[in-house]
């Protein structure tokens, strides 16, 4: 979904950059989300 929206807005290269930033941010925030927002942490993390 991120790829589709970003590609329409900023083109394929921008879509790749935006997708990488979003995925990297989720990986970086995964421990914090698991602790402070368990529902979101379960959605992002492994079930």
């Amino acid at each position: 979904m991120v790829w589709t929206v970003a590609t329409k807005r900023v083109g394929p290269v921008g879509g790749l950059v935006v997708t990488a930033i979003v995925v990297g941010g989720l990986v970086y925030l995964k421990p914090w989300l698991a602790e402070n927002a368990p529902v979101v942490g379960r959605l992002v993390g492994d079930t």
Side-chain angles (χ1 to χ4, degrees):
M1 183 168 163
V2 173
W3 171 258
T4 305
V5 173
T7 302
K8 288 181 181 178
R9 296 280 184 187
V10 293
V13 174
L16 180 64
V17 170
V18 170
T19 302
I21 290 170
V22 169
V23 170
L26 288 175
V27 168
Y28 179 74
L29 291 175
K30 181 180 172 185
W32 183 85
L33 288 172
E35 183 178 328
N36 296 320
V39 174
V40 178
R42 279 190 298 253
L43 290 174
V44 173
D46 298 328
T47 54

